Amino acid sequence: MCGVVGAILRDQPALEGILDGLRVLEYRGYDSAGVAAALPEGVAIRRRAGRIEALRAALEDAALEDAALEDGALSEARCGVGHTRWATHGPPNELNAHPHSDQSGRIALVHNGIVENHQELRRELEEQGVEFRSDTDTEVIVHLIARELERLEGESGEAALADGVREALKLVEGYYAIAVLRAGPEPELVAARQGPPLCICVNEVGAWLASDVLALLPHSREVVYLEDGDVARLAPSHYEVFRPDGERVERSPEEIEWRAEDAGMAGFSHHMQKEIHEQPAVLGRTVAARVGDGDADLGSGWSDSELAKLERVQVLGCGTALHAGLIAQFLIEGLAGLPTDSDYASEFRYRSPRLVPGTLALAISQSGETADTLAALRLAKELGCHTGAICNVPGSSLVREADSVLLTDAGPEIGVASTKAFTAQVAGAYLAAVRLGRARGEIDALGADTLLEALRGVRAGLEVVLGDETVALVKEVARSNQDAKGFLFLGRGVNYPVALEGALKLKEISYVHAEGYPAGEMKHGPIALIEPGMSVLVVNSEGGVAEKVRSNLEQVKARGGRVIVVGSDEESLALADERIPVPATSEWVSPILNVVPLQLFAYEIGLLKGCDIDKPRNLAKSVTVE
Ligand code: G6P
């Protein structure tokens, strides 16, 4: 998704730091990039389709977009903004790339989000003589700001950029995180937020802003999160925040525990590989902090008084997070005895959901910024639900808005394909199920201890699954299946969402067609696909449905499909053409172990096919628009 950075520094050039910030945000997914710098004469802008390296090369070229300005001046500018664009309105070319500037060439703007009434605003501005230069929805904002500033200046002689931005945003419908600069002898930098995240920090060098806290970590670990409706004015030594009516408000910095080096590669070839291998440590951390005596200790937002009143749970999420949500459904029903549904957040929000009083709306999200998940949670809140979140990013919108929050402690996840966040979400759901079960009297202290012990034991299992032997085995299986016509992933019960997740990982990383299916449903359609050349990955661990899965597996074999078994069910492993054994564990926690070989499998196939593992095509790490 689009990335926004900006800086206004005391006495050193801003551009290099802005480019570094953009590089940190690359993981979010983008297809063009650009920067603008405030010079005394006006704004200087450079934009390029493609990667940041293309932009960097452009910055080294001779000609500036505004030929009157010197290249040297651009790299010397103390105030600038930068952007990585993930195209929504108009193709990813240079003209549509941000920043966009007003007609006077004094104001430049970068934007993450969507202007819903852009057509209407564009018509109005065109009638007033504005000539648009891009297909984007964003461009209307910069022209509106210029117009509103002119109006304010007409009324009172001069106007601060922040006031022009506030006035312009009153006319904008939609979602935005914007950074705006105005060139001049004293450059101005303003940030505003409605929806997508935006944070700022100030250090001895100057003030910085970014749409993702990771881009600020090299500058400070004391970060201010803007709230919806905030407009902030940044100066080299301080910042001020205003509400839409102009009232000034205090926004205090929060200390971020993540370190800049957590987002590094630590000797691995890819972030995805590193994050897969981090899972034992992540699980250890997530669990250790939350295992109490005879209960899961999730903190004050999860007290008996609220939880005992609950009648139902509605789980919400998107992508991988929803797969963790489907597992959460099994866990909460199975362990805590609470009726539970799960739904795609994007469907839930548009289907007039009927939620009974006493429903816990539980949103699961790595980033805490997914637009559909946030909208679904807000809708559930409006409908009177108690809201909960299992989320990985402290300070994210979801964490700030939910009544009860469980932070997963996976650390920054940079690989677009989610791996460690998924297993941490499943562990989080398990802990929440134990807490709910205790609060409702479904689980006693002894029962909770037994359940928590099983979860604690998963770390050792993960170490086995990530040991050299299993990794080598997965590599071999990937090699022998790389040319398969297609892939079907099957699982049942609590491991059926693992099959969905295995197929999703493979699609995301290697662009091959893969389907995940509940094993029992295979005979109702997908069985027609089975023939020699079709690889079928069957997830099966010991437990209530193991025998059923075994018979599904036999049906695949009978039709010539190539069967690869992942799991601990010995009989299934014996029947398979190829096998990846996983240590035996309680059925309830088995998804955490079973998914890992599937993550590795997707990674290896992606490598064999020469795909860009950490930046898969068309995907964004965090989808902050609909
Ligand atoms: C995007 C990512 C997926 C992720 C989904 C939900 O589609 O590419 O990997 O699972 O968003 O993201 P969230 O941050 O809410 O977990």
Side-chain angles (χ1 to χ4, degrees):
M1 235 16 12
C2 301
V4 169
V5 291
I8 182 159
L9 308 183
R10 267 177 231 271
D11 48 20
Q12 71 182 56
L15 204 62
E16 209 43 57
I18 289 172
L19 283 170
D20 288 346
L22 290 182
R23 233 173 267 119
V24 173
L25 299 188
E26 273 196 298
Y27 81 100
R28 298 165 67 95
Y30 70 105
D31 36 42
S32 55
V35 289
L39 303 178
E41 308 84 351
V43 294
I45 295 180
R46 279 300 174 84
R47 305 176 289 194
R48 281 296 179 271
R51 297 279 183 218
I52 290 168
E53 289 325 308
L55 174 66
R56 172 171 281 287
L59 284 163
E60 282 158 14
D61 283 355
L64 267 179
E65 204 164 90
D66 180 342
L69 303 172
E70 295 294 325
D71 240 4
L74 179 74
S75 58
E76 289 308 309
R78 293 183 299 106
C79 174
V81 292
H83 191 259
T84 45
R85 174 173 187 251
W86 190 80
T88 56
H89 296 71
N93 57 29
E94 197 173 319
L95 281 183
N96 289 330
H98 302 205
H100 295 286
S101 57
D102 74 324
Q103 302 205 109
S104 73
R106 302 191 69 77
I107 303 169
L109 170 137
V110 291
H111 168 221
N112 175 23
I114 280 188
V115 181
E116 283 169 351
N117 58 340
H118 71 103
Q119 280 164 330
E120 181 189 324
L121 291 171
R122 189 175 181 125
R123 261 194 308 276
E124 181 187 314
L125 287 158
E126 277 172 346
E127 275 162 26
Q128 292 165 357
V130 174
E131 281 177 28
F132 278 78
R133 285 165 287 187
S134 75
D135 310 316
T136 63
D137 55 332
T138 299
E139 197 183 339
V140 297
I141 315 180
V142 74
H143 296 306
L144 280 179
I145 294 171
R147 188 186 79 186
E148 293 305 304
L149 275 170
E150 210 177 305
R151 182 176 63 76
L152 294 173
E153 282 165 355
E155 285 168 15
S156 53
E158 60 177 31
L161 177 63
D163 293 331
V165 170
R166 261 193 321 104
E167 288 301 309
L169 292 179
K170 288 182 184 163
L171 307 167
V172 172
E173 286 165 23
Y175 305 95
Y176 46 79
I178 57 170
V180 194
L181 61 77
R182 178 157 69 169
E186 282 304 321
E188 291 169 90
L189 180 62
V190 168
R193 169 187 187 178
Q194 180 65 47
L198 202 55
C199 31
I200 56 188
C201 71
V202 180
N203 66 7
E204 52 303 335
V205 174
W208 305 82
L209 67 89
S211 53
D212 185 325
V213 78
L214 282 180
L216 296 186
L217 288 182
H219 309 299
S220 175
R221 283 167 72 183
E222 300 263 302
V223 167
V224 177
Y225 290 92
L226 294 185
E227 308 263 334
D228 280 350
D230 283 354
V231 174
R233 189 178 76 80
L234 281 75
S237 55
H238 67 284
Y239 62 90
E240 289 173 304
V241 182
F242 303 93
R243 297 300 295 158
D245 60 4
E247 183 204 350
R248 207 181 138 189
V249 285
E250 286 303 316
R251 296 272 179 257
S252 313
E254 292 174 29
E255 167 108 29
I256 307 296
E257 281 183 21
W258 290 358
R259 295 160 308 152
E261 36 308 0
D262 294 341
M265 212 101 87
F268 286 93
S269 309
H270 299 94
H271 286 290
M272 183 185 180
Q273 187 192 27
K274 173 193 166 218
E275 288 159 6
I276 290 173
H277 283 272
E278 276 179 319
Q279 291 177 108
V282 167
L283 192 105
R285 268 203 311 269
T286 299
V287 176
R290 294 181 174 77
V291 169
D293 202 7
D295 204 344
D297 177 7
L298 309 187
S300 57
W302 299 85
S303 61
D304 281 2
S305 53
E306 277 300 335
L307 304 187
K309 287 188 256 168
L310 295 175
E311 304 275 340
R312 290 193 76 81
V313 180
Q314 173 67 58
V315 183
L316 301 161
C318 299
T320 289
L322 181 66
H323 294 158
L326 290 167
I327 297 174
Q329 180 176 351
F330 280 92
L331 295 174
I332 298 171
E333 284 193 337
L335 301 180
L338 259 175
T340 306
D341 289 313
S342 47
D343 201 355
Y344 299 103
S346 55
E347 286 298 320
F348 173 84
R349 60 184 289 202
Y350 290 116
R351 69 165 164 84
S352 313
R354 299 278 173 257
L355 298 175
V356 294
T359 300
L360 165 69
L362 181 62
I364 305 187
S365 170
Q366 189 285 127
S367 63
E369 303 294 351
T370 301
D372 284 319
T373 307
L374 278 170
L377 189 88
R378 287 172 188 151
L379 173 64
K381 199 171 218 167
E382 265 170 51
L383 295 172
C385 296
H386 182 84
T387 56
I390 298 180
C391 185
N392 193 42
V393 179
S396 61
S397 303
L398 192 63
V399 166
R400 301 160 84 78
E401 292 185 28
D403 301 319
S404 307
V405 176
L406 197 166
L407 278 171
T408 42
D409 243 340
E413 189 179 67
I414 308 293
V416 169
S418 186
T419 53
K420 62 174 179 173
F422 173 78
T423 43
Q425 285 160 353
V426 176
Y430 187 94
L431 289 160
V434 171
R435 180 74 276 273
L436 285 163
R438 286 293 285 134
R440 293 168 46 77
E442 291 276 336
I443 304 173
D444 61 16
L446 204 62
D449 280 340
T450 312
L451 289 167
L452 293 170
E453 201 40 48
L455 184 62
R456 226 196 305 247
V458 171
R459 182 183 181 146
L462 282 172
E463 270 153 12
V464 173
V465 180
L466 288 163
D468 293 348
E469 206 179 312
T470 309
V471 172
L473 190 57
V474 175
K475 232 184 233 202
E476 211 179 289
V477 175
R479 224 174 282 126
S480 57
N481 288 276
Q482 60 177 312
D483 297 320
K485 280 188 202 154
F487 292 86
L488 189 60
F489 289 71
L490 300 175
R492 220 160 162 163
V494 74
N495 278 299
Y496 128 66
V498 172
L500 303 189
E501 178 58 9
L504 180 68
K505 283 289 87 83
L506 191 59
K507 282 183 269 212
E508 287 178 314
I509 295 305
S510 63
Y511 320 143
V512 297
H513 187 78
E515 275 208 66
Y517 239 81
E521 270 292 299
M522 183 195 56
K523 57 188 171 296
H524 299 294
I527 198 163
L529 297 170
I530 311 279
E531 59 176 342
M534 183 80 169
S535 293
V536 183
L537 286 97
V538 179
V539 183
N540 199 15
S541 278
E542 290 151 334
V545 288
E547 195 188 322
K548 304 280 172 209
V549 178
R550 244 174 269 142
S551 64
N552 301 136
L553 184 164
E554 299 270 24
Q555 290 158 5
V556 174
K557 274 190 77 118
R559 285 158 186 87
R562 183 179 185 83
V563 174
I564 303 139
V565 169
V566 175
S568 64
D569 182 62
E570 294 291 347
E571 285 184 51
S572 304
L573 289 163
L575 287 168
D577 296 304
E578 286 171 287
R579 52 200 62 77
I580 306 170
V582 165
T585 180
S586 130
E587 190 178 5
W588 295 118
V589 295
S590 62
I592 303 177
L593 294 183
N594 288 339
V595 78
V596 176
L598 305 187
Q599 298 168 341
L600 289 168
F601 182 73
Y603 175 76
E604 293 298 338
I605 297 264
L607 278 185
L608 289 166
K609 294 197 178 288
C611 299
D612 190 346
I613 302 282
D614 285 330
K615 298 188 202 79
R617 71 181 179 208
N618 305 336
L619 295 179
K621 179 70 184 157
S622 168
V623 183
T624 54
V625 293
E626 266 194 73

